[in-house]
Amino acid sequence: MTTPWHDPTGLLGELDLHLLAEGRHLGLHRHFGAHLRTVDGVEGVAFAVWAPAAERISVVGDWNHWVHGDHPLARIGTSEAWTGFVPEAREGHRYKFAITGPGGHTVEHADPLAFRSEPAPATGSIVHRSRHTWGDQGWLDARDARDQWASPMSIYEVHLGSWRRDPNDPHRERSYREVAPELAAYAADMGFTHVELMPVMQHPFAGSWGYQVTSYSRSVARLGRARRPAPPGRHAPPGRHRRDRRLGARPLPAGRVGPRPLRRHPPLRAPRSPTRRAARLGHLRVRLRPRRGAQLPALQRPVLARRVPPRRPPRRRRGLDALPRLLPPRRRLDPQRPRRPREPRGGVAAAGDQRGGPRRPPGRAVDRRESTAWPGVSRPVDGGGLGFGFKWNMGWMHDTLGYFAEDPVNRRYHHHHLTFGLHYAFSENFVLPLSHDEVVHGKGSLLTKMPGDRWQQLANLRALYGWMWAHPGKQLLFMGGELAQEREWDHDRSLDWHLLADPGHGGVQQLVRDLNRTAAPRPALWSVDFDPTGFTWLVAGDADQNVAAFVRHGDGGQALVCVANLSPVPRHEYRIGLPVAGRWCEVLNTDAEVYGGSGVGNLGAVQADSTRPAHGQPASAPLTLPPLAVVWLEPDGAR
């Protein structure tokens, strides 16, 4: 006897529909979309889609000449899921869902959980089954055993389509297979521990950089095709794309037919306030979508970490990014309102859904860009946090870039921008981001933000990197930053690799390489990143001379001192307190000649005198501080 929960295709069961209704289904890609199956001894393709407001749904594709209604899907009982089996469909066939809304208007939608999609400008989904087998179990075991919070982490953020284009055809984006070997070798040579790819899920418009996803389980089709058997014969009617435009066919999974949304629950209305938005996001069915986007990439085996990307802001709230749109407003304590209204927790639940699961998966990280002061973003759920692994430190980024953009003669008035971040540096597990957002939309490149002539711009940029790599937190640098890119990033152009022929630009690249390689074997720079015991100020208030210095401490008693002179004149005999007496080696100097600097330094080492304590330390040493530079010191024999 057929029950209301019965699905003849076998894709969905009662438990699946229950979890779907609660927004807690962690395996949507295994139950929705197009799947090769055999039903009652007949081979074909089973389709499933979630569309609560639809009146009718049929599958159109190459096998039925894209005719609506020939292969209808059936609603499963009273649920919001539709399924159907098409014996004529085969692997390699293109397809869409023809969805009819309450007003009788029909729109063709791409499958949001398709495993393969047509390259833009086409928007169709393709029936596909992956046959790839992984051979990386040893790497997975090592990854899962790693404590990512107490390990080196230096992230290279990459937009694949513009990292390094075909030198013989600058307009051609190279495929995954062309880029992957070079990118892996380059990142390893530069000493980066992680590569963060800007969203690689299917998105037809390249200018969206991957943030307008149309298929959550398929990488962008224009950069390569999945391995597959030869596709069957196709039957695309003439002018199909013209017909798509006339019908309003959309690649986006969340479309509308008339005034009603098809792929959202009908009673939900657009929120008019942050409080209503948070309550709306708490609706179980709405939580499904952010969770769907968060789960699928995390399930891919090579993924070590992922960043939860921003969603498009609503029209009236441009500029809010990512997590602030999910969370309820933070109300100030008002003595006139002793009975503070309860804040809706729906946004908090929806934000937590994007972590990829109720617990942090071993060896993996989910980091979150968030521009408000919402507490506990990277703290465990059982301690009242949201459970993300890391949080981008947007405050540090804005303050630090603002400081370095000032002419050195004015930096004394902005010294607090350099030091203020340490007041909250240990409140979260922070990533220090110099991301793509800082080099687009007229902001210029990191190099052109720096003041002075070209030599000073390069020196300032080197000093910024030296300060950043020593600062508590993990580092993230967008591609091109290591080249001292002169123009701002353009997704339609390759990076300016020819700049490396210039010694100044080549020197910046060598510095970034040395920063990664110097930091990796020194636990003082990463083993206690998120606890105040790993940091001590030495000089925090010398605004007049633009000098700042601190000590980083490792969990094994290691120490490394970072001293910055961010004025364009060298400082001689500048006494710095040091944790122990004896010889201290200068392990890095951003003003070294090999990096394009002036070569001012300490001849490799200084001698700390225990008879002259300073800055709260038992010893001190006079240093020569090079102009617009950062130096790192460690005790002799520390390694």
Side-chain angles (χ1 to χ4, degrees):
M1 178 179 178
T2 301
T3 69
W5 299 101
H6 177 67
D7 172 20
T9 66
L11 287 178
L12 294 166
E14 184 173 354
L15 178 59
D16 297 308
L17 295 176
H18 172 75
L19 294 175
L20 175 69
E22 289 201 344
R24 296 190 297 114
H25 203 304
L26 304 185
L28 294 178
H29 61 296
R30 293 191 293 268
H31 299 274
F32 285 86
H35 298 267
L36 298 171
R37 297 183 80 86
T38 301
V39 177
D40 295 332
V42 179
E43 294 183 352
V45 179
F47 295 91
V49 64
W50 182 72
E55 296 289 336
R56 296 185 305 276
I57 302 179
S58 64
V59 185
V60 296
D62 289 333
W63 65 89
N64 64 7
H65 303 276
W66 299 82
V67 175
H68 294 182
D70 277 9
H71 292 92
L73 301 186
R75 186 190 294 269
I76 304 178
T78 59
S79 74
E80 298 163 344
W82 300 68
T83 64
F85 180 73
V86 180
E88 295 84 356
R90 292 291 182 268
E91 185 171 10
H93 274 149
R94 297 170 295 175
Y95 71 96
K96 286 185 178 181
F97 295 117
I99 305 178
T100 303
H105 187 64
T106 301
V107 172
E108 292 180 4
H109 280 264
D111 183 355
L113 292 174
F115 290 114
R116 193 174 150 225
S117 303
E118 289 186 283
T123 59
S125 304
I126 300 176
V127 178
H128 177 74
R129 180 174 62 192
S130 175
R131 294 171 175 80
H132 182 77
T133 57
W134 296 98
D136 57 352
Q137 191 58 48
W139 181 87
L140 287 175
D141 294 341
R143 178 200 68 182
D144 293 346
R146 184 182 303 118
D147 182 355
Q148 58 195 338
W149 293 277
S151 299
M153 179 178 285
S154 179
I155 306 167
Y156 188 48
E157 186 186 27
V158 174
H159 178 263
L160 281 175
S162 59
W163 179 68
R164 184 177 285 170
R165 293 200 169 193
D166 187 343
N168 299 318
D169 184 5
H171 298 290
R172 186 180 76 86
E173 295 177 303
R174 297 192 300 163
S175 69
Y176 298 117
R177 294 187 181 279
E178 292 175 288
V179 173
E182 290 186 20
L183 177 58
Y186 179 77
D189 174 67
M190 291 295 295
F192 289 102
T193 63
H194 295 66
V195 173
E196 176 182 308
L197 300 179
M198 292 180 68
V200 296
M201 288 82 81
Q202 173 66 8
H203 57 283
F205 177 49
S208 75
W209 310 337
Y211 291 110
Q212 294 176 351
V213 175
T214 61
S215 179
Y216 291 97
S217 50
R218 161 67 182 130
S219 56
V220 61
R222 72 177 187 275
L223 298 182
R225 297 181 176 181
R227 291 181 178 178
R228 65 194 188 283
R234 295 189 171 183
H235 309 284
R240 183 172 70 85
H241 296 298
R242 183 171 64 253
R243 176 177 64 85
D244 283 354
R245 289 193 293 271
R246 185 177 71 252
L247 290 175
R250 304 174 183 180
L252 296 178
R256 291 174 179 266
V257 174
R260 300 283 301 276
L262 281 178
R263 307 186 70 85
R264 298 176 183 171
H265 201 257
L268 297 177
R269 296 290 184 265
R272 297 179 182 176
S273 70
T275 302
R276 289 183 61 187
R277 177 172 65 252
R280 172 185 178 274
L281 287 165
H283 195 287
L284 293 174
R285 295 175 180 86
V286 177
R287 287 169 57 185
L288 175 68
R289 187 175 180 185
R291 180 179 287 269
R292 176 177 63 196
Q295 284 296 331
L296 288 171
L299 292 171
Q300 304 303 314
R301 291 177 64 119
V303 173
L304 181 61
R306 74 177 297 272
R307 172 197 169 204
V308 178
R311 299 277 302 280
R312 184 181 63 181
R315 294 179 183 175
R316 295 184 181 179
R317 295 179 63 82
R318 296 289 180 188
L320 278 183
D321 185 28
L323 194 61
R325 295 194 58 238
L326 295 178
L327 298 173
R330 300 291 295 170
R331 293 186 175 89
R332 292 173 295 181
L333 291 176
D334 187 347
Q336 303 300 321
R337 298 174 61 188
R339 299 191 66 181
R340 187 177 167 193
R342 181 185 177 193
E343 295 179 354
R345 302 293 295 175
V348 177
D353 283 346
Q354 300 191 48
R355 296 188 306 269
R359 298 182 182 274
R360 294 169 177 166
R364 304 189 192 185
V366 182
D367 66 76
R368 162 53 80 180
R369 170 181 173 176
E370 194 268 328
S371 55
T372 73
W374 186 274
V377 170
S378 60
R379 293 297 182 249
V381 177
D382 54 11
L386 293 182
F388 291 94
F390 297 94
K391 174 183 174 180
W392 281 22
N393 195 337
M394 307 298 289
W396 173 91
M397 180 271 297
H398 285 294
D399 287 347
T400 304
L401 287 182
Y403 176 88
F404 274 88
E406 292 289 338
D407 189 281
V409 73
N410 296 323
R411 285 177 176 171
R412 67 180 64 187
Y413 308 113
H414 302 273
H415 194 75
H416 62 285
H417 288 157
L418 194 67
T419 61
F420 178 72
L422 271 302
H423 287 286
Y424 59 86
F426 310 107
S427 61
E428 301 275 1
N429 302 331
F430 279 124
V431 169
L432 309 180
L434 294 179
S435 71
H436 66 278
D437 293 303
E438 310 316 312
V439 293
V440 291
H441 303 322
K443 296 178 183 177
S445 67
L446 292 178
L447 180 67
T448 58
K449 295 179 193 296
M450 303 294 117
D453 57 25
R454 182 46 52 91
W455 188 93
Q456 290 181 331
Q457 285 182 316
L458 289 167
N460 274 297
L461 188 62
R462 295 193 303 268
L464 169 62
Y465 293 161
W467 180 262
M468 173 182 175
W469 257 257
H471 195 282
K474 309 303 184 183
Q475 295 77 37
L476 181 147
L477 183 65
F478 183 58
M479 64 179 198
E482 81 280 14
L483 310 180
Q485 184 96 351
E486 294 178 338
R487 61 173 177 85
E488 73 175 25
W489 172 55
D490 182 350
H491 67 272
D492 284 329
R493 292 179 56 184
S494 178
L495 295 181
D496 294 332
W497 294 96
H498 63 275
L499 292 174
L500 293 177
D502 181 279
H505 293 268
V508 173
Q509 185 195 46
Q510 183 60 47
L511 172 66
V512 173
R513 181 185 289 112
D514 288 351
L515 285 168
N516 283 327
R517 292 181 173 180
T518 303
R522 290 175 169 83
L525 290 175
W526 41 259
S527 63
V528 192
D529 255 332
F530 310 122
D531 191 288
T533 60
F535 178 90
T536 302
W537 274 118
L538 296 177
V539 179
D542 193 355
D544 289 340
Q545 298 192 79
N546 301 341
V547 174
F550 56 79
V551 185
R552 293 297 310 277
H553 306 280
D555 59 3
Q558 306 90 348
L560 184 140
V561 170
C562 171
V563 186
N565 173 26
L566 301 176
S567 63
V569 295
R571 308 287 183 191
H572 298 285
E573 298 294 317
Y574 193 102
R575 186 163 291 275
I576 291 288
L578 296 171
V580 295
R583 189 170 186 266
W584 283 71
C585 298
E586 187 178 78
V587 295
L588 185 131
N589 181 345
T590 66
D591 191 51
E593 292 181 350
V594 68
Y595 305 137
S598 61
V600 175
N602 296 277
L603 301 178
V606 296
Q607 190 70 26
D609 184 358
S610 62
T611 64
R612 299 188 62 179
H615 302 133
Q617 303 298 314
S620 67
L623 303 184
T624 297
L625 305 184
L628 298 175
V630 169
V631 296
W632 293 359
L633 303 167
E634 71 174 2
D636 189 19
R639 292 181 59 199

